[in-house]
Amino acid sequence: MVKTRAEVREEFARKGWSISGWAKQNGYSPNMAIAILADDEANPRLKCLRGDAHNIAVQLGLKEGEISRAVGARQLAAA
């Protein structure tokens, strides 16, 4: 089931999670996650079509799709 941005923000508030904490825990930029959730539902600036924006949207349940994480420099540095 696809969620709205407001539903995801409400879920985070209900569970006591921070958006930036979730993003860091999942290897994403906190600024990108915050921007996606703060975006306008009817006319979003971030379309979340590819890359980390797509992956964040899928993982948060904002859209259906597959998470495609290529091994990048950030992941290699963390290993």
Side-chain angles (χ1 to χ4, degrees):
M1 182 176 105
V2 177
K3 302 175 190 174
T4 66
R5 288 167 168 81
E7 289 172 335
V8 173
R9 286 192 304 268
E10 288 170 10
E11 179 182 356
F12 272 58
R14 190 173 54 252
K15 293 181 177 180
W17 295 349
S18 73
I19 297 168
S20 58
W22 176 90
K24 289 175 187 175
Q25 184 178 18
N26 288 283
Y28 298 118
S29 160
N31 290 337
M32 176 76 74
I34 290 167
I36 290 170
L37 286 176
D39 214 347
D40 180 33
E41 193 74 43
N43 190 20
R45 186 179 58 83
L46 297 170
K47 304 298 185 211
C48 302
L49 297 176
R50 60 188 67 82
D52 277 351
H54 164 82
N55 292 335
I56 290 168
V58 171
Q59 197 162 350
L60 288 173
L62 297 173
K63 66 183 273 188
E64 294 181 359
E66 293 182 22
I67 297 173
S68 57
R69 306 260 337 231
V71 176
R74 180 175 35 169
Q75 290 173 322
L76 290 175

